[in-house]
Amino acid sequence: EPVVTAQDRDGRTAGDTAESMSDDDEFDLLDEGLEEDMIVIADPLEGVNRFFFEFNDMVYVLVLDPVSKTYEGMVCEPWRIGIDNFFQNLTTPARYANCLLQGKGDGADVELRRFWINTTEGILGFGDPALEKHGLEQEKEDFGQTLAVWGIGDGFYIVWPILGPSTLRDSVGLV
């Protein structure tokens, strides 16, 4: 049974149990914990960001959602998965390089083996035997993460047309 470990702003002490706390009090404690973990990113382009947020929402509703539903209706799931696998395989060299740049030699090794297996056994990457047969999971590394490892801060918040929200650092990494 959870116990409040220190006296909080409402005067509860270490002996108070969760039963004596109301639901709102429990959520207040959660909110306080989340606030401590939040990273604040500057938003000097707030007006522009709001505009592009609305623009992106409209493009999604009017164009991207209908196109994706049409694609889903016309192309069977195994083909869609194969196409996704193919494009994931094409981006392997970038993930490999970012693993190396971050000093993650084991991750680079996994990416190299995945690329070799999926390009050959998986027929140009349309299949993913590296995961299915060998249990090699794809590394989730990009250049924005590499810049973070090198100590470059987030920069400011920005919403790009079509691409959506990002930070200055991750935008540079995306390019």
Side-chain angles (χ1 to χ4, degrees):
E1 179 174 14
V3 175
V4 178
T5 57
Q7 186 170 2
D8 67 11
R9 67 174 184 242
D10 296 327
R12 289 185 299 263
T13 60
D16 294 334
T17 64
E19 291 173 355
S20 66
M21 296 170 54
S22 71
D23 288 341
D24 289 338
D25 292 337
E26 290 178 28
F27 285 118
D28 287 344
L29 290 174
L30 285 173
D31 286 343
E32 289 172 14
L34 289 175
E35 288 172 7
E36 292 172 7
D37 295 340
M38 289 178 56
I39 298 171
V40 178
I41 299 174
D43 190 7
L45 305 173
E46 183 177 355
V48 174
N49 288 337
R50 288 183 184 277
F51 172 80
F52 281 123
F53 176 85
E54 295 295 327
F55 172 80
N56 289 345
D57 193 45
M58 182 180 63
V59 169
Y60 173 76
V61 169
L62 297 176
V63 179
L64 299 177
D65 189 44
V67 167
S68 69
K69 287 183 177 169
T70 302
Y71 172 72
E72 185 178 344
M74 294 178 65
V75 180
C76 66
E77 185 176 17
W79 281 91
R80 291 194 315 265
I81 291 170
I83 291 167
D84 182 57
N85 288 343
F86 174 78
F87 285 107
Q88 290 298 318
N89 198 51
L90 281 181
T91 60
T92 299
R95 287 190 309 276
Y96 173 77
N98 282 299
C99 285
L100 289 177
L101 291 171
Q102 293 175 36
K104 297 180 177 178
D106 291 342
D109 178 57
V110 167
E111 283 300 317
L112 189 60
R113 292 189 299 155
R114 280 184 53 80
F115 185 73
W116 177 255
I117 293 167
N118 287 343
T119 302
T120 56
E121 267 184 76
I123 308 171
L124 299 177
F126 284 99
D128 192 359
L131 177 62
E132 295 163 4
K133 292 182 181 178
H134 305 282
L136 297 172
E137 291 193 31
Q138 176 181 330
E139 300 293 316
K140 305 290 184 195
E141 306 299 342
D142 62 42
F143 193 61
Q145 292 170 319
T146 299
L147 293 174
V149 167
W150 291 352
I152 299 187
D154 289 311
F156 56 86
Y157 180 74
I158 187 164
V159 178
W160 292 105
I162 311 297
L163 300 176
S166 188
T167 61
L168 183 59
R169 178 190 68 211
D170 287 340
S171 295
V172 170
L174 181 63
V175 172

